[in-house]
Amino acid sequence: MPKAQALTTPAISTKLLATAAGFTGIMLLLAYLVAFDQGALSQSGMYLHELMHDGRHLLGVPCH
């Protein structure tokens, strides 16, 4: 009977993992700002809401 070989998994570099985590965080923040923020993070009132207004309608997210 042939000898069983151990399966090895490729290692993911920490640089690649950090880059992927950073990119994912930025994308989640952007999704929050476009879809859910109603001016809560903006210190100048509804500036951020108005900036993202067309993007909300384009994605079908209600904002009114």
Side-chain angles (χ1 to χ4, degrees), residues 34-56:
V34 170
F36 302 111
D37 182 61
Q38 297 288 329
L41 294 181
S42 178
Q43 297 297 323
S44 62
M46 297 299 282
Y47 177 73
L48 189 60
H49 173 80
E50 294 301 325
L51 183 65
M52 301 294 181
H53 190 261
D54 292 337
R56 283 186 179 93

Side-chain angles (χ1 to χ4, degrees):
M1 202 172 255
K3 213 176 195 186
Q5 292 183 352
L7 294 176
T8 59
T9 58
I12 298 175
S13 70
T14 55
K15 183 178 179 181
L16 178 62
L17 188 60
T19 302
F23 181 76
T24 301
I26 289 171
M27 289 295 108
L28 286 172
L29 178 64
L30 184 62
Y32 170 77
L33 290 176
V34 170
F36 302 111
D37 182 61
Q38 297 288 329
L41 294 181
S42 178
Q43 297 297 323
S44 62
M46 297 299 282
Y47 177 73
L48 189 60
H49 173 80
E50 294 301 325
L51 183 65
M52 301 294 181
H53 190 261
D54 292 337
R56 283 186 179 93
H57 290 297
L58 181 67
L59 295 172
V61 176
C63 63
H64 300 281

